[in-house]
Amino acid sequence: MSQVEKKAGLLRRTSSSKKPLKEKVVLMYDEIFAKEDPAKNNPRFWDELFLMKVNLEYLESKLESVDGEEVQRIQDNINSLFHHCIQALGEEHQIKVVNALQTLCALFRGVHQKNKSASGFDIINMLMGFDKAEQRMKDLMERLDSLLCGGGSESLKSLCLKLLLCLVTVTDNISQNTILEYVMINSIFEAILQILSDVSSRGQHGYDAVVLLALLVNYRKYESVNPYIVKLSIVDDEPTLDGMGMVVHQALTEYNRQYKDKEEENQGGFFSTFTSMVGSMFIADADEKLSVQTNEAILLALYEAVHLNRNFITVLAQSHPEMDIPTTPTTPTPTTPTTPLGTTPPSLDIILCFYLLICCVVMNNPELPLDPNLQTSNLLITFLKYASIVMQDTKDEHRLNSARLCLIILTCIAEDQYADAFLHDDNMNFRVNLHRMPMRHRKKAVDKNIPSRPLVCAVLDLMVEFIVTHMMKDFPMDLYMRCVQIIHKLLCYQKKCRIRLHYTWRELWSALINLLKFLLSNETTLLAKHNIFHLALLVVNLFNMFITYGDTFLPTSNSYDELYYEIVRMHQVFDNLYCMVLRVSTNTGQWKEAASKVTHALVNVRAIVNHFDPKIESYAAVNHISQLSEEQVLEVVRSNYDTLTLKLQDGLDQFERYSEQPKEAAFFKELVRSISLNVRKNVSLNTLSQGVLLKEFSTIS
């Protein structure tokens, strides 16, 4: 018995002495893999083939088992199979269409698996013949477009998207998939948009459509003009953009819900009581149980929308009542595949319609009386909650990538003028319950105590939370740089527009000072891997922003006094930093120039310390007080501003705008590779049961 036959599991023994019998479709596959034209002796061969239930496993394994010489011998038959699959897509008999779609998927996967080292041109030649490839792919894309945009079966539309995802992800690096050149030429962009703009289609196929679009946008994006990038950047149709936003929102909401369910599960019962009694012994185990599979594919889609399309920024801000959207139907439907955690979240048309209706009523009826206790939400809030979860633990590669992508998305948002206006709008307040990492020295925040504030406060809270919780041996330098830069961009907007934000700035100042303290304490270890002076410079310049321009954006004069109080109170950290950078900058070495920049940046901080320290000591001596209270120190600060001399530093309110190419290109190439591998694993045409499909279409036919 051959290995292929064993693997396929097709054989049935009638008795121990008789040879096993093969399914008819397997016999027909064997004819295709023979030298002769299978239709030579049977003119109805192809019609009969597509009426047979596809055996994906056997066909794929057969393709993988073909050696070099056999490829040449059977190439005409493979080309003919590919051609007849495309023709079958235009049949009125729905079973033929189903079988043709599944056969095409097996062809794409089987040929690529066998020829991983072959050039794209060789694979194209084996599948469809190079001289006919352009016409074949044109016909295929037109048929798929017709099926996706038509009013036919939702199961067929789902199969079409699965086939396209299969085609896009057959190679580890999608940019090396030469067949996608034909997908660029024969665009299905409009079909994807139609799915996203229609409530019913979006409910069933929105997730696959959004992931497909995100992957297509990343095909050779740095090497040539990608039409999907161009088209996505100019979409201004509101229902389409809203639809894309709702798909992303629902996927992130589902992730947040799963995490919250696990969190509550771990906090209840005897186990929780026992672990709280023994302290930190079981913290690692608890964190392990709270792990939920990240969803980089949907994050990538959100990033591309925010980065490429300015109109999408408005979608982030659209408010609606916060509600739990059921994601699992009570009665399974044939067209809703069961999916693993972290992949396509299933949904219900009725719920989505109801959800949209409520959104429209709330947004279009300003006089509608709302329950004052009803919390409103939007895509940005859901995204911030998601980010607060994945940014807790960055030790896992997928979570590290998710955290980095979250910060890149926030960077794009912080640079956008419309987004900044919405973030800082004092008339648009939200109560955002960010997830916080469990730590021994602080109590868990109670949801009810979270105030309703402008959304920029939640962004700053997220940045502060990350800064405070990730000072560790395996220091995530890149993420810290991005956090500090996001804070800087938000401050630049506040300074420019003179927005006096009521925020607990002392928490930010304290976090930044502790970060400097950590860098100093771990100088030797960190310098072996990172340029800590670059991060230190960014942190010091944040303080310089507050010192130089704080009077234009801090909420009150007391806030400005408190800034000086914190600098003077923690002067030892700044003194130690100055000593360290001075030492490095006066010696020859690779960090000489970087350290020198920090030395110059500290000039005003040191001026404040050197000016107020003697005044405070004098005040204590005159009043015979050994230890001054905070209010007494603030009194000294307020009465001695006039004699303080500071230097005006240029460029504090300037920043380099985000650019994906070339700095982020390597990251996105690896990220897309990882997403492609994950999508390939999860995209299986068997998720739509062949039995269910055939039963459905047999009834139709």
Side-chain angles (χ1 to χ4, degrees), residues 252-467:
L252 296 182
T253 298
E254 169 64 6
Y255 179 95
N256 295 346
R257 184 193 64 78
Q258 290 179 16
Y259 181 86
K260 188 174 182 181
D261 288 349
K262 284 202 170 190
E263 191 177 42
E264 290 174 354
E265 183 183 319
N266 276 270
Q267 287 172 355
F270 172 76
F271 178 77
S272 175
T273 307
F274 181 69
T275 51
S276 63
M277 287 172 58
V278 297
S280 63
M281 288 173 62
F282 294 99
I283 284 179
D285 293 337
D287 289 344
E288 185 74 25
K289 291 184 179 181
L290 289 179
S291 176
V292 181
Q293 183 181 341
T294 53
N295 194 335
E296 287 89 9
I298 210 71
L299 265 192
L300 179 66
L302 176 60
Y303 163 75
E304 297 296 357
V306 169
H307 179 230
L308 295 174
N309 193 304
R310 288 292 306 278
N311 299 313
F312 189 78
I313 293 295
T314 61
V315 176
L316 295 173
Q318 288 180 359
S319 299
H320 54 76
E322 189 171 56
M323 62 179 72
D324 290 327
I325 306 174
T327 54
T328 310
T330 52
T331 305
T333 57
T335 58
T336 306
T338 302
T339 52
L341 190 64
T343 57
T344 310
S347 58
L348 291 173
D349 290 349
I350 296 173
I351 292 167
L352 277 172
C353 291
F354 178 66
Y355 176 80
L356 272 175
L357 180 62
I358 290 178
C359 290
C360 293
V361 171
V362 171
M363 288 187 287
N364 296 327
N365 288 275
E367 297 179 4
L368 180 71
L370 286 176
D371 182 346
N373 297 316
L374 182 65
Q375 168 68 3
T376 55
S377 183
N378 54 46
L379 175 54
L380 185 54
I381 291 174
T382 303
F383 167 67
L384 289 173
K385 290 180 179 179
Y386 176 90
S388 71
I389 296 170
V390 299
M391 287 169 63
Q392 287 183 32
D393 178 15
T394 57
K395 293 175 184 176
D396 172 75
E397 183 182 356
H398 289 290
R399 294 173 78 86
L400 178 64
N401 286 339
S402 283
R404 186 173 180 180
L405 189 50
C406 285
L407 290 173
I408 291 175
I409 293 169
L410 282 172
T411 299
C412 295
I413 291 171
E415 289 182 5
D416 187 274
Q417 292 293 302
Y418 178 85
D420 281 328
F422 170 73
L423 286 173
H424 291 85
D425 190 341
D426 208 27
N427 297 313
M428 299 288 286
N429 294 330
F430 298 90
R431 188 176 290 110
V432 184
N433 179 26
L434 298 177
H435 295 266
R436 292 166 55 123
M437 185 184 292
M439 298 181 78
R440 298 187 196 96
H441 63 276
R442 69 179 183 187
K443 295 181 180 179
K444 180 176 172 61
V446 181
D447 295 1
K448 293 179 181 178
N449 294 337
I450 299 170
S452 188
R453 304 171 297 171
L455 270 179
V456 68
C457 295
V459 178
L460 290 170
D461 283 349
L462 183 62
M463 299 301 99
V464 170
E465 174 68 11
F466 182 85
I467 291 171

Side-chain angles (χ1 to χ4, degrees), residues 603-623:
V603 61
N604 280 341
V605 173
R606 297 190 71 244
I608 291 169
V609 171
N610 293 335
H611 176 74
F612 286 106
D613 249 9
K615 308 287 185 187
I616 292 168
E617 289 176 7
S618 174
Y619 180 92
V622 169
N623 292 281

